[in-house]
Amino acid sequence: MRTVHQSTTFVVTRFKRSSISSTLASSPLSPLSTEEGSALSVPTVRGECLLKYQLRPRREWQRDSIITCNPEEFIAEALELPNFQESVQEYRKSAQDIPAPAEKRSNYPEIIFLGTGSAIPMKIRNVSSTLVNISPEKSLLLDCGEGTFGQLCRHYGEQVDQILGNLVAVFVSHLHADHHTGLLNILLQRERALASLGKPFLPLLVVAPTQLRPWLHQYHNQCQEVLHHISMIPAKCLSQGAKVSDPVVERLIRSLLKTCDLEEFQTCLVRHCKHAFGCALVHTSGWKVVYSGDTMPCEALVQMGKDATLLIHEATLEDGLEEEAIEKTHSTTSQAIGVGMRMNAEFIMLNHFSQRYAKIPLFSPDFNEKVGIAFDHMKVCFGDFPTVPKLIPPLKALFAGDIEEMEERRERRELRLVRAALLSQEQAGSPEVREPQQKRAHMDGPQSPQSKKVKAQ
């Protein structure tokens, strides 16, 4: 039985390969999108969104449904919006009037937001991931949600291997899927990139809750060997006052600081799920970047991030949804800004928006010249701080329709709450409700301790 099964499998495999080879070999392929397969010498075609292959009546690639992006069309459409051109001109004039200080003109560190949405990937905002290019040769990731590698490809194109080759560390704030499931593909693609660049392979330093280990071990044992890709530093070992007794972890921490040219890499527990961390990066040149991860307003984060150059803080929900924010252990926009103000941060970038605000969040009255909002593929350097807040008027003009719709939705929600409160007051104060309650209380009379006990049982 075993011999028959093996030979049958071989025949089927050989048939599949030969049929695929003949099918693809006879199909018309674009010279711009084909390359020879190294293993089977079979031509391959790069996948595109809505690319189709027709088998009958004629074998051919069908590209008529592929969506092409023409930036000129988007620009022309935006210029027709009311007040947009005027707000852009006003922004240009004001931006020219603010020269960046000499110490802020450096291109590094460079912050690139790869994912600024929460929970699930959407077409406008991917889930959490932020690339910090510390220098032209070194970079690290703050969280690594699903699709992070794809976002790197979209942002850097053919230069993506160079970026992966520069990647030396990843910080995983907590174990919700939208913050860490992109890690596995980053590990595999990084190994491939290092080989293509001719660079020596070194494990990636991963700062994460220790609870990430079982997930990695299970994937390693059940799916694919990945543990050799990682040198893990427990996030709790980088918190203030933590005592590290493991010499291996001590060595990895020293390597992290030296490789990234950091004076300090500090973590703290934040108010989200169990084992959720924020972090602060202090560079030897003096700048300080603080990342909140997911959290409600957190005093420990405020203390760790005192006098930060940049605070990247989640702002999942709009003002007025404080109760929902507490239920989901997230922050509203004003709460996030308040954390930055108490921290005395030089600048605050808000991200991790609920996908209900996919295009743009609702602006609160607390927005000021020290606050900006992040978009996927947005690149920010310290010298951009004075100009980023001035983008808000053009953004409001560009997304005026979406903002109006969200404000109407908020007004309807507030009206429902008012009606519910009035209804509950009427029910509590109406004679029809009050009289039966009083009658029941009179009939029951005072209960003895023994009767209360029997009733409770």
Side-chain angles (χ1 to χ4, degrees):
M1 289 295 292
R2 183 179 301 174
T3 305
V4 172
H5 175 73
Q6 287 178 344
S7 61
T8 304
T9 304
F10 173 75
V11 171
V12 171
T13 304
R14 186 171 57 185
F15 171 76
K16 286 182 178 178
R17 290 182 178 179
S18 61
S19 61
I20 292 171
S21 177
S22 61
T23 300
L24 289 176
S26 62
S27 63
L29 301 176
S30 169
L32 297 176
S33 60
T34 61
E35 58 182 8
E36 290 296 317
S38 59
L40 302 173
S41 299
V42 175
T44 60
V45 176
R46 182 177 180 179
E48 297 178 79
C49 186
L50 300 180
L51 173 65
K52 300 176 184 177
Y53 185 74
Q54 178 181 277
L55 292 172
R56 293 181 179 179
R58 178 183 174 185
R59 295 177 181 177
E60 63 179 2
W61 292 105
Q62 294 183 343
R63 292 182 166 82
D64 53 318
S65 299
I66 294 176
I67 298 174
T68 57
C69 179
N70 184 357
E72 298 300 325
E73 292 181 5
F74 291 99
I75 294 172
E77 183 180 348
L79 292 176
E80 295 176 0
L81 295 172
N83 302 322
F84 180 69
Q85 291 194 55
E86 294 82 353
S87 60
V88 169
Q89 292 172 359
E90 186 65 29
Y91 161 75
R92 287 174 175 169
K93 288 172 59 178
S94 60
Q96 292 173 355
D97 297 338
I98 307 176
E103 65 272 14
K104 301 295 183 185
R105 289 175 187 163
S106 172
N107 291 330
Y108 294 93
E110 184 181 68
I111 317 297
I112 298 172
F113 295 95
L114 300 173
T116 58
S118 67
I120 57 174
M122 298 288 278
K123 65 178 182 180
I124 296 176
R125 293 185 186 273
N126 197 50
V127 289
S128 295
S129 185
T130 303
L131 180 70
V132 181
N133 290 324
I134 299 172
S135 69
E137 296 83 25
K138 302 296 177 186
S139 61
L140 59 84
L141 278 170
L142 302 175
D143 275 328
C144 192
E146 175 187 352
T148 294
F149 173 69
Q151 292 291 83
L152 284 171
C153 290
R154 294 180 189 95
H155 192 88
Y156 286 103
E158 296 180 356
Q159 301 300 316
V160 68
D161 282 2
Q162 187 64 49
I163 298 302
L164 290 170
N166 293 343
L167 187 64
V168 295
V170 174
F171 170 73
V172 176
S173 62
H174 62 288
L175 296 190
H176 284 165
D178 59 324
H179 290 258
H180 78 275
T181 50
L183 178 61
L184 293 170
N185 200 25
I186 287 292
L187 296 175
L188 300 173
Q189 295 295 340
R190 177 176 175 268
E191 182 181 37
R192 177 198 55 76
L194 288 171
S196 69
L197 294 170
K199 290 185 176 182
F201 174 80
L202 293 173
L204 187 66
L205 295 167
V206 176
V207 180
T210 54
Q211 290 71 23
L212 185 69
R213 275 202 182 105
W215 178 70
L216 291 170
H217 277 275
Q218 185 174 10
Y219 187 88
H220 179 89
N221 295 329
Q222 302 294 331
C223 302
Q224 190 173 5
E225 294 183 356
V226 294
L227 293 181
H228 66 284
H229 288 275
I230 293 175
S231 293
M232 188 165 167
I233 302 173
K236 63 184 179 181
C237 294
L238 293 170
S239 60
Q240 188 174 23
K243 294 182 179 180
V244 182
S245 56
D246 188 340
V248 175
V249 175
E250 285 185 345
R251 177 178 58 80
L252 292 176
I253 292 174
R254 288 195 299 270
S255 174
L256 172 66
L257 298 178
K258 181 179 178 181
T259 305
C260 296
D261 202 17
L262 295 176
E263 190 175 290
E264 187 177 7
F265 191 125
Q266 187 178 342
T267 63
C268 73
L269 286 168
V270 293
R271 301 172 63 199
H272 189 53
C273 62
K274 199 172 183 180
H275 311 298
F277 290 85
C279 71
L281 316 177
V282 182
H283 196 257
T284 52
S285 64
W287 56 257
K288 182 176 184 177
V289 171
V290 179
Y291 175 64
S292 72
D294 284 9
T295 182
M296 295 190 290
C298 178
E299 186 60 29
L301 186 72
V302 172
Q303 296 305 317
M304 181 180 71
K306 280 292 184 184
D307 302 320
T309 312
L310 173 64
L311 167 65
I312 303 170
H313 201 290
E314 71 119 293
T316 308
L317 296 165
E318 66 187 84
D319 288 2
L321 295 179
E322 286 76 13
E323 290 186 6
E324 184 178 341
I326 291 172
E327 291 174 4
K328 297 181 177 179
T329 59
H330 285 299
S331 297
T332 66
T333 51
S334 287
Q335 288 174 342
I337 294 170
V339 169
M341 293 302 175
R342 287 159 52 204
M343 189 184 289
N344 194 33
E346 184 177 338
F347 200 76
I348 306 161
M349 286 297 297
L350 304 180
N351 76 340
H352 194 269
F353 301 106
S354 167
Q355 297 292 5
R356 70 187 79 175
Y357 318 113
K359 291 184 180 179
I360 197 167
L362 272 177
F363 296 93
S364 74
D366 292 329
F367 271 77
N368 56 49
E369 71 282 353
K370 296 175 65 174
V371 182
I373 56 175
F375 293 86
D376 283 21
H377 302 292
M378 182 178 184
K379 180 174 71 176
V380 176
C381 301
F382 292 166
D384 299 323
F385 291 170
T387 58
V388 170
K390 298 184 181 300
L391 287 169
I392 290 179
L395 288 172
K396 285 183 176 180
L398 184 62
F399 298 108
D402 300 278
I403 293 173
E404 183 180 358
E405 183 179 337
M406 289 188 292
E407 288 176 342
E408 289 176 356
R409 194 163 60 226
R410 179 173 61 186
E411 290 174 1
R412 289 195 298 268
R413 182 182 67 245
E414 292 173 349
L415 185 58
R416 285 196 302 269
L417 292 174
V418 170
R419 287 174 176 170
L422 291 174
L423 182 62
S424 62
Q425 288 178 4
E426 290 176 1
Q427 290 177 346
S430 63
E432 292 81 1
V433 175
R434 199 167 51 239
E435 186 175 337
Q437 292 175 346
Q438 292 174 349
K439 190 176 292 184
R440 280 199 304 270
H442 178 72
M443 292 175 62
D444 293 342
Q447 294 181 342
S448 65
Q450 186 66 25
S451 65
K452 288 182 180 178
K453 184 177 180 181
V454 171
K455 188 175 182 180
Q457 291 175 346

